[in-house]
């Protein structure tokens, strides 16, 4: 019973992912690849991982770094950024549902269409003359195209990697996402300085087109697609489980605070710590760099061969540590104090940036619960809903941040972050991130020997 869990949802025969993983480890051909040479399935796994990693550039390169364009569109940058991330995350549950079943066999075509839509939107936006042109092209259409790419390809990635290594695969792609967030500000800044706003967007369109098509074509078709799977309805039994709702609430709350330092840390450093604009930009780089390692690190904690931490434990480690850094480092930063800001950027960036690396472990836990209840579960649909929860949190945090910033006043303790206009924002960041530790309420919070090590 314990080993049938998620595979019941896909194929009741030997063509499930368990047999695929066994075939890969033993070097034997899989049902879908027979009579292909030994190792062919492993090669396709590598292609899926490399392709998904490359795609982090066209998907997130603009959305994560829209603030670089602030000098060109100072009054609307926040609108574009919030709209772009909101459209991407909030559309994912619907797109994951669509590509999980009905359009599962059209994922590659949908991803290519998404790339075409995003690139065309960036090109058209370079000719914009009004605010609403930029909001529509960059904030809505380009974001929707990127969401198509992400949803279609992430589902295939998850199906090429089984429960014994899926978490690490997700963590590797998240590390590449943080690498994009670290390097793209310098690329976009160089393009803006050398070519100007309009030409920079056209060059970015070409970069997104090249990397997007390459990454999509690298990812092979899912190993478990079949006519019976396409016609089968999505199982929604997991919605009855408390674990899913606990983790969804934790992700929503953590995400509402996570985006605030990304948005306001640069202006805080310039206005309060009296850093130059260049130094403030470098501070954002320090914020993103630790996530390159932490995403893979927290994924490994959830999914290693010798022992594994329950996802409730790892997500709580991330949430509590990042919340403490907000309270005691960002909150106690005084005027001209660069050292505490640098320390906050590194520590918060590492622990908060690794939070989403635990999602693969969350899915594994939900699959185990489904197996114990003899229920089917669609891991791709679960992953899409977790992204939706993050989208709600991200947008909510962005909307709440504006009145919180206005509510802040300078008091007698103005030499610390709490006593200035950013005080309410700092408190909100700390408490909302702390609530990301709600995973501790799940029933599997302990260090356990990894049953997958013997599977």
């Amino acid at each position: 019973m314990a080993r049938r869990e998620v595979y019941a949802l896909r194929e009741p025969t030997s063509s499930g992912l368990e047999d695929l993983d066994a075939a890969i480890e033993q070097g034997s051909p899989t049902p879908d690849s027979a009579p292909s040479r030994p190792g062919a399935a492993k090669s396709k796994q590598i292609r899926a991982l490399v392709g998904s990693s490359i795609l982090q550039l066209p998907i997130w390169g603009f959305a994560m770094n829209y603030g670089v364009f602030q000098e060109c569109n100072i009054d609307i940058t926040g609108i574009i950024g919030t709209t772009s991330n909101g459209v991407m995350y909030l559309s994912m549950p619907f797109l994951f549902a669509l590509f999980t079943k009905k359009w599962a066999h059209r994922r590659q075509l949908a991803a290519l269409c998404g790339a075409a839509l995003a690139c065309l939107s960036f090109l058209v936006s370079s000719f914009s003359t009004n605010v609403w042109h930029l909001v529509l092209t960059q904030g809505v259409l380009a974001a929707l195209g990127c969401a198509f790419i992400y949803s279609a390809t992430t589902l295939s990635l998850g199906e090429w990697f089984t429960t014994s290594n899926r978490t690490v695969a997700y963590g590797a792609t998240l590390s590449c996402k943080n690498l994009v967030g670290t390097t793209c500000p310098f690329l976009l800044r160089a393009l803006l300085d050398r070519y100007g706003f309009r030409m920079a967007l056209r060059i970015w369109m070409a970069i997104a087109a090249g990397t997007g098509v390459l990454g999509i074509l690298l990812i092979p078709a899912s190993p478990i697609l079949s006519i019976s799977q396409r016609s089968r309805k999505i199982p929604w039994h997991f919605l009855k489980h408390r674990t899913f709702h606990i983790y969804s609430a934790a992700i929503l709350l953590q995400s509402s605070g996570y985006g605030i330092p990304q948005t306001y840390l640069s202006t805080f450093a310039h206005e309060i710590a009296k850093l130059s604009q260049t130094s403030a930009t470098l501070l954002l780089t320090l914020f993103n760099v630790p996530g390159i390692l932490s995403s893979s690190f927290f994924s490994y904690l959830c999914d290693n061969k010798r022992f594994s931490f329950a996802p409730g434990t790892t997500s709580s480690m991330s949430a509590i540590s990042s919340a403490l850094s907000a309270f005691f480092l960002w909150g106690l930063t005084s005027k001209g104090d660069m050292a505490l800001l640098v320390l906050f950027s590194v520590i918060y960036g590492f622990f908060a940036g690794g939070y989403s690396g635990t999602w693969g472990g969350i899915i594994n836990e939900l699959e185990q619960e489904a197996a114990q209840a003899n229920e089917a579960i669609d891991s791709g649909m679960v992953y899409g809903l977790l992204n939706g929860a993050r989208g709600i949190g991200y947008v909510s945090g962005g909307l709440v941040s504006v009145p919180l910033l206005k509510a802040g006043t300078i008091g007698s303790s103005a030499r610390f972050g709490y006593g200035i206009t950013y005080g309410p924002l700092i408190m909100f960041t700390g408490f909302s991130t702390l609530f990301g530790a709600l995973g501790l309420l799940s029933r599997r919070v302990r260090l356990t020997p990894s049953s997958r090590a013997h599977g």
Side-chain angles (χ1 to χ4, degrees), residues 251-310:
I251 291 170
L252 189 156
L253 292 168
Q254 191 270 350
S255 300
S256 65
Y258 176 66
I260 289 179
Q262 288 181 311
T263 304
Y264 293 100
L265 187 60
S266 180
T267 55
F268 180 91
H270 182 63
E271 296 174 3
I272 306 304
K274 304 302 181 182
L275 302 182
S276 65
Q277 288 287 5
T278 301
S279 298
T281 301
L282 289 175
L283 202 62
L284 285 179
T285 300
L286 291 176
F287 184 90
N288 287 312
V289 165
I292 300 173
L293 298 176
S294 65
S295 294
S296 296
F297 173 72
F298 281 100
S299 298
Y300 175 77
L301 290 182
C302 291
D303 194 13
N304 62 82
K305 298 298 183 182
R306 298 188 61 183
F307 62 85
S308 62
F309 285 91

Short mmCIF file of all heavy atoms in Angstrom, two decimals, residues 251-310:
data_model
loop_
_atom_site.label_atom_id
_atom_site.label_comp_id
_atom_site.label_asym_id
_atom_site.label_seq_id
_atom_site.Cartn_x
_atom_site.Cartn_y
_atom_site.Cartn_z
N ILE A 251 2.59 29.01 3.11
CA ILE A 251 3.21 29.57 1.91
C ILE A 251 2.64 30.95 1.61
O ILE A 251 3.38 31.89 1.26
CB ILE A 251 3.01 28.62 0.72
CG1 ILE A 251 3.84 27.36 0.91
CG2 ILE A 251 3.38 29.30 -0.60
CD1 ILE A 251 3.54 26.26 -0.08
N LEU A 252 1.34 31.10 1.74
CA LEU A 252 0.70 32.41 1.48
C LEU A 252 1.25 33.48 2.42
O LEU A 252 1.61 34.58 1.97
CB LEU A 252 -0.81 32.26 1.64
CG LEU A 252 -1.70 33.44 1.21
CD1 LEU A 252 -3.10 32.93 0.88
CD2 LEU A 252 -1.81 34.49 2.31
N LEU A 253 1.33 33.16 3.70
CA LEU A 253 1.80 34.15 4.68
C LEU A 253 3.28 34.46 4.49
O LEU A 253 3.69 35.63 4.55
CB LEU A 253 1.52 33.63 6.09
CG LEU A 253 0.04 33.55 6.48
CD1 LEU A 253 -0.14 32.77 7.77
CD2 LEU A 253 -0.55 34.95 6.62
N GLN A 254 4.09 33.43 4.27
CA GLN A 254 5.52 33.67 4.08
C GLN A 254 5.77 34.51 2.83
O GLN A 254 6.62 35.41 2.83
CB GLN A 254 6.25 32.33 3.97
CG GLN A 254 7.77 32.42 4.02
CD GLN A 254 8.41 32.58 2.65
OE1 GLN A 254 7.76 32.45 1.62
NE2 GLN A 254 9.71 32.86 2.65
N SER A 255 5.02 34.25 1.78
CA SER A 255 5.21 34.98 0.52
C SER A 255 4.80 36.44 0.64
O SER A 255 5.38 37.31 -0.03
CB SER A 255 4.42 34.31 -0.60
OG SER A 255 4.83 32.97 -0.80
N SER A 256 3.83 36.73 1.48
CA SER A 256 3.37 38.12 1.63
C SER A 256 4.46 39.00 2.23
O SER A 256 4.52 40.21 1.97
CB SER A 256 2.11 38.18 2.49
OG SER A 256 2.38 37.75 3.83
N GLY A 257 5.35 38.40 3.02
CA GLY A 257 6.45 39.17 3.58
C GLY A 257 7.73 39.08 2.78
O GLY A 257 8.55 40.00 2.80
N TYR A 258 7.90 37.98 2.04
CA TYR A 258 9.15 37.75 1.33
C TYR A 258 9.43 38.81 0.26
O TYR A 258 10.57 39.21 0.04
CB TYR A 258 9.11 36.36 0.67
CG TYR A 258 10.32 36.06 -0.18
CD1 TYR A 258 11.58 35.94 0.39
CD2 TYR A 258 10.21 35.89 -1.56
CE1 TYR A 258 12.70 35.65 -0.39
CE2 TYR A 258 11.31 35.61 -2.35
CZ TYR A 258 12.55 35.49 -1.75
OH TYR A 258 13.65 35.23 -2.52
N GLY A 259 8.38 39.29 -0.41
CA GLY A 259 8.60 40.25 -1.49
C GLY A 259 8.91 41.66 -1.03
O GLY A 259 9.39 42.48 -1.83
N ILE A 260 8.66 41.96 0.23
CA ILE A 260 8.85 43.34 0.71
C ILE A 260 10.31 43.78 0.72
O ILE A 260 10.63 44.86 0.22
CB ILE A 260 8.18 43.50 2.09
CG1 ILE A 260 6.66 43.48 1.91
CG2 ILE A 260 8.63 44.81 2.76
CD1 ILE A 260 5.89 43.60 3.19
N PRO A 261 11.25 43.00 1.26
CA PRO A 261 12.64 43.42 1.18
C PRO A 261 13.13 43.57 -0.26
O PRO A 261 13.91 44.47 -0.57
CB PRO A 261 13.40 42.30 1.91
CG PRO A 261 12.40 41.72 2.84
CD PRO A 261 11.10 41.79 2.10
N GLN A 262 12.67 42.71 -1.15
CA GLN A 262 13.06 42.82 -2.55
C GLN A 262 12.62 44.15 -3.14
O GLN A 262 13.30 44.73 -3.99
CB GLN A 262 12.46 41.67 -3.36
CG GLN A 262 13.09 40.32 -3.09
CD GLN A 262 12.47 39.23 -3.94
OE1 GLN A 262 11.24 39.10 -4.00
NE2 GLN A 262 13.30 38.43 -4.59
N THR A 263 11.47 44.63 -2.70
CA THR A 263 10.91 45.86 -3.24
C THR A 263 11.49 47.10 -2.60
O THR A 263 11.78 48.09 -3.27
CB THR A 263 9.37 45.87 -3.07
OG1 THR A 263 8.83 44.69 -3.69
CG2 THR A 263 8.76 47.11 -3.70
N TYR A 264 11.70 47.07 -1.28
CA TYR A 264 12.03 48.29 -0.55
C TYR A 264 13.46 48.34 -0.01
O TYR A 264 13.88 49.39 0.49
CB TYR A 264 11.06 48.48 0.62
CG TYR A 264 9.65 48.75 0.18
CD1 TYR A 264 8.69 47.74 0.16
CD2 TYR A 264 9.26 50.03 -0.24
CE1 TYR A 264 7.38 47.99 -0.24
CE2 TYR A 264 7.96 50.29 -0.64
CZ TYR A 264 7.03 49.27 -0.65
OH TYR A 264 5.74 49.53 -1.06
N LEU A 265 14.21 47.26 -0.08
CA LEU A 265 15.54 47.26 0.52
C LEU A 265 16.46 48.29 -0.16
O LEU A 265 17.25 48.96 0.51
CB LEU A 265 16.16 45.86 0.43
CG LEU A 265 17.48 45.66 1.17
CD1 LEU A 265 17.30 45.94 2.65
CD2 LEU A 265 18.00 44.24 0.94
N SER A 266 16.33 48.42 -1.47
CA SER A 266 17.19 49.36 -2.19
C SER A 266 16.93 50.80 -1.76
O SER A 266 17.87 51.56 -1.49
CB SER A 266 16.98 49.20 -3.70
OG SER A 266 17.80 50.09 -4.42
N THR A 267 15.66 51.19 -1.70
CA THR A 267 15.34 52.57 -1.29
C THR A 267 15.65 52.79 0.18
O THR A 267 16.08 53.88 0.58
CB THR A 267 13.85 52.87 -1.56
OG1 THR A 267 13.03 51.87 -0.90
CG2 THR A 267 13.55 52.85 -3.04
N PHE A 268 15.46 51.77 1.02
CA PHE A 268 15.82 51.87 2.44
C PHE A 268 17.32 52.12 2.58
O PHE A 268 17.75 52.97 3.38
CB PHE A 268 15.42 50.59 3.16
CG PHE A 268 15.74 50.58 4.63
CD1 PHE A 268 14.82 51.01 5.57
CD2 PHE A 268 16.98 50.14 5.08
CE1 PHE A 268 15.12 51.01 6.93
CE2 PHE A 268 17.30 50.13 6.43
CZ PHE A 268 16.36 50.57 7.36
N ALA A 269 18.11 51.38 1.82
CA ALA A 269 19.57 51.53 1.91
C ALA A 269 20.00 52.92 1.46
O ALA A 269 20.92 53.51 2.03
CB ALA A 269 20.24 50.46 1.05
N HIS A 270 19.33 53.46 0.46
CA HIS A 270 19.71 54.77 -0.06
C HIS A 270 19.27 55.90 0.87
O HIS A 270 20.03 56.83 1.14
CB HIS A 270 19.10 54.97 -1.45
CG HIS A 270 19.47 56.26 -2.10
ND1 HIS A 270 20.77 56.60 -2.43
CD2 HIS A 270 18.71 57.33 -2.46
CE1 HIS A 270 20.79 57.80 -2.98
NE2 HIS A 270 19.55 58.26 -3.01
N GLU A 271 18.05 55.79 1.40
CA GLU A 271 17.49 56.87 2.21
C GLU A 271 17.96 56.81 3.66
O GLU A 271 18.22 57.85 4.28
CB GLU A 271 15.97 56.82 2.17
CG GLU A 271 15.38 57.07 0.78
CD GLU A 271 13.88 56.88 0.76
OE1 GLU A 271 13.30 56.60 1.84
OE2 GLU A 271 13.27 56.98 -0.33
N ILE A 272 18.05 55.62 4.23
CA ILE A 272 18.34 55.49 5.66
C ILE A 272 19.81 55.20 5.92
O ILE A 272 20.44 55.86 6.74
CB ILE A 272 17.47 54.37 6.28
CG1 ILE A 272 15.99 54.63 5.97
CG2 ILE A 272 17.71 54.30 7.77
CD1 ILE A 272 15.48 55.98 6.41
N ALA A 273 20.36 54.21 5.21
CA ALA A 273 21.77 53.87 5.42
C ALA A 273 22.70 54.79 4.64
O ALA A 273 23.93 54.67 4.75
CB ALA A 273 22.02 52.42 5.01
N LYS A 274 22.12 55.66 3.83
CA LYS A 274 22.88 56.66 3.07
C LYS A 274 23.87 56.03 2.10
O LYS A 274 24.99 56.52 1.91
CB LYS A 274 23.63 57.60 4.03
CG LYS A 274 22.73 58.29 5.05
CD LYS A 274 21.63 59.10 4.39
CE LYS A 274 20.76 59.79 5.42
NZ LYS A 274 19.63 60.55 4.80
N LEU A 275 23.46 54.92 1.49
CA LEU A 275 24.30 54.28 0.49
C LEU A 275 24.02 54.89 -0.88
O LEU A 275 22.95 55.41 -1.14
CB LEU A 275 24.03 52.77 0.44
CG LEU A 275 24.23 51.98 1.74
CD1 LEU A 275 23.98 50.50 1.49
CD2 LEU A 275 25.63 52.19 2.29
N SER A 276 24.98 54.78 -1.77
CA SER A 276 24.79 55.25 -3.14
C SER A 276 23.83 54.32 -3.87
O SER A 276 23.56 53.19 -3.42
CB SER A 276 26.12 55.30 -3.87
OG SER A 276 26.65 53.99 -4.03
N GLN A 277 23.34 54.77 -5.02
CA GLN A 277 22.43 53.93 -5.79
C GLN A 277 23.12 52.65 -6.23
O GLN A 277 22.51 51.57 -6.25
CB GLN A 277 21.93 54.71 -7.03
CG GLN A 277 20.95 55.83 -6.71
CD GLN A 277 19.58 55.29 -6.32
OE1 GLN A 277 19.37 54.08 -6.20
NE2 GLN A 277 18.63 56.19 -6.12
N THR A 278 24.39 52.75 -6.57
CA THR A 278 25.14 51.56 -6.99
C THR A 278 25.26 50.56 -5.85
O THR A 278 25.05 49.35 -6.02
CB THR A 278 26.54 51.95 -7.48
OG1 THR A 278 26.41 52.86 -8.57
CG2 THR A 278 27.31 50.72 -7.92
N SER A 279 25.58 51.06 -4.66
CA SER A 279 25.70 50.18 -3.49
C SER A 279 24.36 49.57 -3.12
O SER A 279 24.30 48.39 -2.71
CB SER A 279 26.26 50.96 -2.30
OG SER A 279 27.55 51.45 -2.57
N ALA A 280 23.29 50.34 -3.29
CA ALA A 280 21.96 49.82 -2.99
C ALA A 280 21.59 48.70 -3.95
O ALA A 280 20.97 47.70 -3.57
CB ALA A 280 20.93 50.94 -3.07
N THR A 281 21.99 48.83 -5.22
CA THR A 281 21.74 47.78 -6.20
C THR A 281 22.54 46.53 -5.86
O THR A 281 22.05 45.40 -5.97
CB THR A 281 22.09 48.26 -7.62
OG1 THR A 281 21.31 49.41 -7.93
CG2 THR A 281 21.81 47.17 -8.65
N LEU A 282 23.78 46.71 -5.45
CA LEU A 282 24.62 45.58 -5.05
C LEU A 282 24.04 44.86 -3.84
O LEU A 282 24.20 43.65 -3.68
CB LEU A 282 26.04 46.06 -4.76
CG LEU A 282 26.87 46.50 -5.96
CD1 LEU A 282 28.21 47.07 -5.51
CD2 LEU A 282 27.10 45.33 -6.92
N LEU A 283 23.34 45.61 -2.99
CA LEU A 283 22.71 45.01 -1.82
C LEU A 283 21.64 44.00 -2.25
O LEU A 283 21.48 42.94 -1.63
CB LEU A 283 22.09 46.10 -0.94
CG LEU A 283 21.85 45.77 0.53
CD1 LEU A 283 23.16 45.46 1.23
CD2 LEU A 283 21.15 46.94 1.21
N LEU A 284 20.90 44.33 -3.31
CA LEU A 284 19.90 43.40 -3.83
C LEU A 284 20.57 42.14 -4.39
O LEU A 284 20.01 41.05 -4.31
CB LEU A 284 19.06 44.07 -4.92
CG LEU A 284 18.01 45.07 -4.43
CD1 LEU A 284 17.27 45.68 -5.62
CD2 LEU A 284 17.02 44.39 -3.49
N THR A 285 21.75 42.32 -4.96
CA THR A 285 22.50 41.16 -5.44
C THR A 285 22.87 40.25 -4.28
O THR A 285 22.73 39.01 -4.36
CB THR A 285 23.77 41.61 -6.17
OG1 THR A 285 23.41 42.44 -7.28
CG2 THR A 285 24.56 40.41 -6.67
N LEU A 286 23.33 40.84 -3.18
CA LEU A 286 23.63 40.05 -1.99
C LEU A 286 22.39 39.35 -1.45
O LEU A 286 22.48 38.27 -0.85
CB LEU A 286 24.23 40.95 -0.90
CG LEU A 286 25.63 41.51 -1.16
CD1 LEU A 286 26.03 42.46 -0.03
CD2 LEU A 286 26.64 40.38 -1.28
N PHE A 287 21.24 39.95 -1.66
CA PHE A 287 19.99 39.35 -1.22
C PHE A 287 19.68 38.09 -2.02
O PHE A 287 19.16 37.10 -1.48
CB PHE A 287 18.86 40.37 -1.40
CG PHE A 287 17.52 39.92 -0.88
CD1 PHE A 287 17.14 40.18 0.43
CD2 PHE A 287 16.63 39.24 -1.70
CE1 PHE A 287 15.91 39.77 0.90
CE2 PHE A 287 15.40 38.83 -1.23
CZ PHE A 287 15.04 39.09 0.08
N ASN A 288 19.98 38.10 -3.33
CA ASN A 288 19.64 36.98 -4.21
C ASN A 288 20.69 35.88 -4.26
O ASN A 288 20.36 34.72 -4.48
CB ASN A 288 19.37 37.49 -5.63
CG ASN A 288 18.06 38.24 -5.75
OD1 ASN A 288 17.04 37.78 -5.28
ND2 ASN A 288 18.09 39.42 -6.36
N VAL A 289 21.95 36.24 -4.06
CA VAL A 289 23.03 35.26 -4.20
C VAL A 289 22.87 34.05 -3.28
O VAL A 289 23.00 32.90 -3.73
CB VAL A 289 24.41 35.93 -3.98
CG1 VAL A 289 25.50 34.89 -3.75
CG2 VAL A 289 24.77 36.80 -5.17
N PRO A 290 22.56 34.21 -1.98
CA PRO A 290 22.45 33.03 -1.11
C PRO A 290 21.38 32.04 -1.55
O PRO A 290 21.49 30.85 -1.27
CB PRO A 290 22.12 33.64 0.26
CG PRO A 290 22.62 35.04 0.20
CD PRO A 290 22.38 35.47 -1.22
N GLY A 291 20.33 32.55 -2.23
CA GLY A 291 19.27 31.66 -2.68
C GLY A 291 19.73 30.64 -3.69
O GLY A 291 19.09 29.59 -3.87
N ILE A 292 20.85 30.93 -4.38
CA ILE A 292 21.39 29.97 -5.35
C ILE A 292 21.76 28.67 -4.64
O ILE A 292 21.53 27.57 -5.15
CB ILE A 292 22.62 30.57 -6.07
CG1 ILE A 292 22.23 31.84 -6.82
CG2 ILE A 292 23.25 29.55 -7.01
CD1 ILE A 292 23.41 32.59 -7.41
N LEU A 293 22.31 28.79 -3.44
CA LEU A 293 22.71 27.61 -2.68
C LEU A 293 21.58 27.09 -1.79
O LEU A 293 21.40 25.88 -1.66
CB LEU A 293 23.92 27.94 -1.80
CG LEU A 293 25.21 28.35 -2.53
CD1 LEU A 293 26.28 28.73 -1.51
CD2 LEU A 293 25.70 27.22 -3.41
N SER A 294 20.81 28.01 -1.21
CA SER A 294 19.83 27.58 -0.21
C SER A 294 18.69 26.76 -0.81
O SER A 294 18.16 25.86 -0.16
CB SER A 294 19.28 28.79 0.53
OG SER A 294 18.54 29.64 -0.31
N SER A 295 18.28 27.06 -2.04
CA SER A 295 17.20 26.29 -2.66
C SER A 295 17.58 24.82 -2.78
O SER A 295 16.80 23.92 -2.43
CB SER A 295 16.85 26.87 -4.04
OG SER A 295 16.30 28.16 -3.93
N SER A 296 18.79 24.57 -3.26
CA SER A 296 19.26 23.18 -3.37
C SER A 296 19.51 22.58 -1.99
O SER A 296 19.25 21.39 -1.76
CB SER A 296 20.54 23.12 -4.20
OG SER A 296 20.29 23.54 -5.53
N PHE A 297 20.00 23.39 -1.04
CA PHE A 297 20.31 22.90 0.30
C PHE A 297 19.04 22.42 1.01
O PHE A 297 19.00 21.30 1.55
CB PHE A 297 20.99 23.99 1.11
CG PHE A 297 21.19 23.64 2.56
CD1 PHE A 297 22.15 22.71 2.94
CD2 PHE A 297 20.43 24.25 3.55
CE1 PHE A 297 22.34 22.38 4.28
CE2 PHE A 297 20.61 23.93 4.89
CZ PHE A 297 21.56 23.00 5.26
N PHE A 298 18.00 23.24 1.03
CA PHE A 298 16.77 22.84 1.71
C PHE A 298 16.07 21.70 0.97
O PHE A 298 15.40 20.88 1.60
CB PHE A 298 15.83 24.04 1.86
CG PHE A 298 16.21 24.95 3.00
CD1 PHE A 298 16.90 26.13 2.78
CD2 PHE A 298 15.87 24.63 4.30
CE1 PHE A 298 17.26 26.96 3.83
CE2 PHE A 298 16.22 25.45 5.36
CZ PHE A 298 16.92 26.62 5.12
N SER A 299 16.21 21.65 -0.35
CA SER A 299 15.66 20.52 -1.09
C SER A 299 16.37 19.23 -0.69
O SER A 299 15.73 18.18 -0.52
CB SER A 299 15.83 20.76 -2.60
OG SER A 299 15.12 21.89 -3.02
N TYR A 300 17.69 19.32 -0.53
CA TYR A 300 18.46 18.14 -0.14
C TYR A 300 18.06 17.66 1.26
O TYR A 300 17.98 16.44 1.51
CB TYR A 300 19.95 18.46 -0.17
CG TYR A 300 20.83 17.34 0.32
CD1 TYR A 300 21.09 16.23 -0.48
CD2 TYR A 300 21.38 17.37 1.61
CE1 TYR A 300 21.88 15.19 -0.02
CE2 TYR A 300 22.18 16.33 2.07
CZ TYR A 300 22.42 15.25 1.25
OH TYR A 300 23.19 14.21 1.71
N LEU A 301 17.79 18.59 2.16
CA LEU A 301 17.37 18.19 3.51
C LEU A 301 16.08 17.39 3.48
O LEU A 301 15.87 16.50 4.31
CB LEU A 301 17.19 19.44 4.39
CG LEU A 301 18.45 20.21 4.79
CD1 LEU A 301 18.08 21.38 5.69
CD2 LEU A 301 19.47 19.31 5.48
N CYS A 302 15.21 17.70 2.53
CA CYS A 302 13.93 16.99 2.42
C CYS A 302 14.06 15.67 1.66
O CYS A 302 13.17 14.82 1.75
CB CYS A 302 12.89 17.85 1.69
SG CYS A 302 12.32 19.29 2.62
N ASP A 303 15.14 15.52 0.88
CA ASP A 303 15.15 14.43 -0.10
C ASP A 303 16.56 13.88 -0.29
O ASP A 303 17.11 13.95 -1.38
CB ASP A 303 14.60 14.96 -1.43
CG ASP A 303 14.25 13.84 -2.40
OD1 ASP A 303 14.20 12.69 -1.96
OD2 ASP A 303 14.03 14.14 -3.58
N ASN A 304 17.14 13.33 0.77
CA ASN A 304 18.45 12.70 0.62
C ASN A 304 18.33 11.22 0.96
O ASN A 304 17.35 10.77 1.53
CB ASN A 304 19.51 13.39 1.48
CG ASN A 304 19.19 13.31 2.96
OD1 ASN A 304 19.46 12.31 3.60
ND2 ASN A 304 18.59 14.36 3.51
N LYS A 305 19.34 10.48 0.60
CA LYS A 305 19.24 9.02 0.65
C LYS A 305 19.38 8.44 2.06
O LYS A 305 18.76 7.43 2.38
CB LYS A 305 20.31 8.41 -0.26
CG LYS A 305 20.17 8.78 -1.74
CD LYS A 305 18.86 8.27 -2.31
CE LYS A 305 18.75 8.59 -3.79
NZ LYS A 305 17.46 8.13 -4.34
N ARG A 306 20.20 9.04 2.90
CA ARG A 306 20.48 8.45 4.21
C ARG A 306 19.42 8.81 5.25
O ARG A 306 18.97 7.98 6.01
CB ARG A 306 21.86 8.88 4.69
CG ARG A 306 22.99 8.42 3.78
CD ARG A 306 24.34 8.71 4.39
NE ARG A 306 24.51 8.00 5.66
CZ ARG A 306 25.58 8.13 6.43
NH1 ARG A 306 26.56 8.95 6.08
NH2 ARG A 306 25.67 7.46 7.57
N PHE A 307 19.05 10.06 5.31
CA PHE A 307 17.99 10.51 6.21
C PHE A 307 17.38 11.77 5.62
O PHE A 307 17.99 12.43 4.79
CB PHE A 307 18.52 10.78 7.62
CG PHE A 307 19.55 11.89 7.66
CD1 PHE A 307 19.18 13.23 7.75
CD2 PHE A 307 20.90 11.59 7.60
CE1 PHE A 307 20.12 14.25 7.79
CE2 PHE A 307 21.85 12.60 7.63
CZ PHE A 307 21.46 13.93 7.72
N SER A 308 16.19 12.09 6.06
CA SER A 308 15.55 13.29 5.54
C SER A 308 14.75 13.99 6.65
O SER A 308 14.17 13.33 7.50
CB SER A 308 14.62 12.96 4.36
OG SER A 308 13.57 12.11 4.77
N PHE A 309 14.76 15.31 6.61
CA PHE A 309 13.91 16.09 7.49
C PHE A 309 12.51 16.16 6.89
O PHE A 309 12.35 16.26 5.67
CB PHE A 309 14.44 17.51 7.66
CG PHE A 309 15.65 17.61 8.54
CD1 PHE A 309 16.93 17.52 8.02
CD2 PHE A 309 15.50 17.82 9.90
CE1 PHE A 309 18.04 17.63 8.82
CE2 PHE A 309 16.61 17.93 10.72
CZ PHE A 309 17.88 17.83 10.18
N ALA A 310 11.50 16.12 7.74
CA ALA A 310 10.15 16.35 7.26
C ALA A 310 10.04 17.77 6.74
O ALA A 310 10.69 18.68 7.26
CB ALA A 310 9.14 16.11 8.39
#
